[in-house]
Amino acid sequence: MTGNQTEALIGMLATFGLLVLMVLPSVIGIVREKRVDRQLREAQEGEGVRKKTQKSSSRSTVPSTATWYAEGRRSKKLVNS
């Protein structure tokens, strides 16, 4: 192998290495996005199954004391303004 061939090989390897370094973050991002999309899709499917099998409560829901207090404070602020 002559000196020119060696230099050409080193140049091609360096160019290929730079290309890999530039493309690698994009590939990693695409793989991560696909994984997140798959997890979200599985969670939505599981949620749909849970909603179908979930029993409704016979008790009526009553707002907590904190909710009553917050509503009173909001209405007082509107009157005072």
Side-chain angles (χ1 to χ4, degrees):
M1 194 178 251
T2 65
N4 287 338
Q5 290 174 332
T6 305
E7 286 182 18
L9 180 62
I10 292 172
M12 286 192 314
L13 290 176
T15 303
F16 182 71
L18 288 173
L19 178 67
V20 168
L21 285 176
M22 290 173 52
V23 172
L24 189 62
S26 297
V27 171
I28 291 171
I30 290 169
V31 169
R32 184 176 294 162
E33 287 292 322
K34 287 190 179 278
R35 186 187 66 205
V36 169
D37 288 343
R38 188 187 74 241
Q39 289 173 345
L40 287 173
R41 190 170 43 252
E42 289 173 357
Q44 286 177 344
E45 289 172 0
E47 187 176 296
V49 171
R50 247 184 275 135
K51 282 184 180 179
K52 291 178 185 176
T53 60
Q54 185 179 16
K55 297 178 183 176
S56 64
S57 175
S58 59
R59 290 179 37 196
S60 64
T61 57
V62 178
S64 67
T65 306
T67 304
W68 288 102
Y69 177 74
E71 287 177 0
R73 299 271 300 168
R74 276 191 227 113
S75 62
K76 286 179 186 176
K77 286 182 182 177
L78 292 174
V79 172
N80 290 339
S81 296

